[in-house]
Amino acid sequence: MPVTGLNHYNIKAPLPLLEEVRDFYCTVLGLTQGYKPPPANSGFWLYAGDSPILHLSVDDAAAPFTNVTTVDHIAFTCVDFAAMRGKLDAMAVDYSFSQRADGGPSQIFLRDLVGNGLELNFRE
């Protein structure tokens, strides 16, 4: 059976950093913290509407946290390009953007607090 879409993305970090990451995604991207079913592993599930698209898991490893990954970025479908740019400016979040004249998506590029690349796509 073929893949039909993205189910969720998971980020692991120590709890104090994970709480900041949760707040970043909720404040900047408007995701909401919602129901996280058992098992008892610590963390948060963040929702876009009814979909739990971002899972945040506590990394209790004894070694110091390092963000070593081969993932380049996570892309989100978004609405209201101008409002998002205004919000990022007001929050002093570093980003770059692209607005295509050919009808393609306008895009905003930024990084979250643990270094993951984010691509926000707006078809308006």
Side-chain angles (χ1 to χ4, degrees):
M1 177 166 283
V3 171
T4 60
L6 180 65
N7 183 275
H8 71 273
Y9 191 79
N10 187 290
I11 295 173
K12 290 182 83 171
L15 182 57
L17 178 56
L18 203 63
E19 290 170 335
E20 291 181 39
V21 169
R22 175 200 58 204
D23 295 346
F24 173 89
Y25 278 93
C26 290
T27 302
V28 174
L29 297 187
L31 299 181
T32 57
Q33 182 176 336
Y35 173 74
K36 181 188 157 307
N41 60 332
S42 298
F44 314 101
W45 278 19
L46 303 184
Y47 286 69
D50 294 332
S51 300
I53 63 169
L54 183 55
H55 298 180
L56 304 177
S57 301
V58 174
D59 183 357
D60 289 324
F65 175 74
T66 57
N67 182 17
V68 178
T69 181
T70 58
V71 174
D72 181 66
H73 68 275
I74 309 160
F76 294 96
T77 302
C78 302
V79 295
D80 205 342
F81 179 77
M84 180 59 76
R85 285 195 61 205
K87 178 185 252 184
L88 295 173
D89 289 340
M91 296 179 67
V93 173
D94 289 331
Y95 68 94
S96 62
F97 68 93
S98 170
Q99 285 184 284
R100 292 178 38 185
D102 66 358
S106 296
Q107 298 172 303
I108 295 175
F109 306 95
L110 62 146
R111 294 211 171 267
D112 69 14
L113 298 176
V114 291
N116 295 304
L118 305 178
E119 175 184 308
L120 310 181
N121 291 283
F122 301 82
R123 287 203 179 270
E124 300 171 346

